Amino acid sequence: MTGSLHTRADLLEAWHSHLAQGRRRSPHTVRAYVATAARLLDALQLQDWPAIARLDAADLRRQLAARRADGLGNVSAARELSALKAFLAFARDQSGQPNPAPPRLRGPRIKKGLPRPVTPDEAVHLMETVSDLASDDWIGARNRAVLLLLYGAGLRIAEALSLTAAALPLGETLVVTGKGGKQRMVPLLPIVRAGVADYVGKCPWPLEKTAPLFRGAKGGPLSQGLVQKAMARARIVLGLPATATPHALRHSFATHLLGAGADLRSLQELLGHASLGSTQIYTRVDAATLLDVYRSAHPREQ
């Protein structure tokens, strides 16, 4: 494809297709990146790839300044800049012209917060409670099975919900497709396999090989929002903080493994992190947990 797409819709459709099919980005990321591109096109009235490819750091800085004036925070601004740079790189590929140097522009500095893991007992109570609070026995078994995959195998919620019935029956390992289409193998504990088997035995919908493994009440694919709502109800019942989310179970999986002696490289493989730097945050989590234990138990702190 060369530089003569003439409408805004054409440009955005090509960008959407590249992200969703070429890069296999998550639906959330695709929506955010396409929205960022749309704002840029509207602000600068651009309608062809070569014009977009010629944008420089000053153009991006002005676009970000306008967004910051609308109240965009540091984290969102950093994501917006990442989306803009990716869009310009795509435009350079599409323009059919010699690629100019990419704009050099630093995003705002982001202070990384530590993940907030739950304790092993809290994780168990959460899974029991989401099951007990469900409107139907099979839905309770389904919710528990999803959370078992997050805490017992370290899956992202999107990875768990993207599983199809072709994965059945579960064995001692499971091949998971993560971000960017990258595959990894994760071991499955007997309790995880038993939880999924319990759900499968109770699910009222036929589980064809190509169909989603986890179903909503009407038989369609289970949404992340329903899992998040189920966990929100459970944490309120248990008196846990708002940080006790489905994603916190994945954090807890990593933190508890590290505390039990797992090495960072193995943890990186289990979590599907592209870089070791993403995994190293768990060393700080574990240190923070140890400090909490020390402060609550040491005689001089009483």
Side-chain angles (χ1 to χ4, degrees):
M1 187 183 300
T2 57
S4 59
L5 289 177
H6 295 298
T7 71
R8 175 183 184 275
D10 287 335
L11 298 171
L12 295 178
E13 183 180 352
W15 178 226
H16 184 286
S17 177
H18 169 72
L19 293 168
Q21 298 166 21
R23 300 297 302 276
R24 299 192 65 174
R25 295 297 187 96
S26 72
H28 174 78
T29 298
V30 172
R31 284 194 300 271
Y33 274 40
V34 170
T36 295
R39 284 190 291 269
L40 180 70
L41 296 181
D42 292 343
L44 301 182
Q45 293 297 298
L46 300 173
Q47 288 193 332
D48 63 80
W49 294 122
I52 300 168
R54 287 192 294 270
L55 296 178
D56 57 20
D59 294 311
L60 297 192
R61 196 175 290 113
R62 282 190 291 270
Q63 180 69 7
L64 281 177
R67 294 284 290 139
R68 294 301 290 267
D70 292 334
L72 200 68
N74 278 0
V75 172
S76 296
R79 290 173 180 164
E80 186 109 348
L81 178 58
S82 177
L84 287 170
K85 286 181 175 179
F87 185 50
L88 263 62
F90 180 67
R92 289 195 297 273
D93 288 340
Q94 297 296 298
S95 67
Q97 298 179 357
N99 289 345
R104 301 185 64 178
L105 184 61
R106 282 188 175 183
R109 302 190 70 168
I110 307 298
K111 183 178 179 181
K112 274 197 174 181
L114 293 179
R116 287 263 188 97
V118 298
T119 68
D121 281 346
E122 288 169 345
V124 170
H125 291 324
L126 278 164
M127 285 179 275
E128 291 175 346
T129 305
V130 295
S131 180
D132 292 342
L133 293 176
S135 59
D136 196 298
D137 188 36
W138 81 269
I139 291 178
R142 178 202 68 192
N143 293 347
R144 182 173 179 271
V146 173
L147 298 190
L148 275 168
L149 285 167
L150 273 54
Y151 179 64
L155 271 61
R156 300 175 177 93
I157 186 171
E159 292 170 346
L161 298 187
S162 69
L163 293 174
T164 67
L168 301 175
L170 295 182
E172 293 186 350
T173 60
L174 175 67
V175 176
V176 178
T177 301
K179 290 185 176 180
K182 181 181 178 183
Q183 290 191 322
R184 69 185 188 278
M185 183 178 292
V186 297
L188 295 178
L189 297 169
I191 190 174
V192 177
R193 300 200 300 271
V196 174
D198 181 50
Y199 154 68
V200 170
K202 293 174 178 176
C203 180
W205 304 102
L207 296 174
E208 300 92 351
K209 293 285 186 184
T210 57
L213 173 58
F214 293 108
R215 303 295 188 84
K218 296 182 179 179
L222 178 61
S223 71
Q224 292 190 26
L226 287 176
V227 179
Q228 290 161 345
K229 286 178 182 177
M231 186 135 168
R233 288 193 296 270
R235 72 169 178 253
I236 290 171
V237 169
L238 295 172
L240 296 177
T243 52
T245 63
H247 197 60
L249 292 177
R250 174 174 150 91
H251 286 319
S252 304
F253 163 85
T255 304
H256 299 162
L257 279 181
L258 188 65
D263 65 274
L264 279 177
R265 286 291 181 188
S266 298
L267 196 56
Q268 178 189 359
E269 288 298 317
L270 287 171
L271 292 171
H273 285 161
S275 70
L276 190 61
S278 299
T279 313
Q280 285 174 330
I281 189 171
Y282 292 103
T283 61
R284 290 191 285 150
V285 173
D286 198 51
T289 303
L290 289 174
L291 189 57
D292 285 343
V293 171
Y294 168 82
R295 284 173 172 164
S296 64
H298 197 284
R300 292 182 66 87
E301 292 290 324
Q302 304 304 312

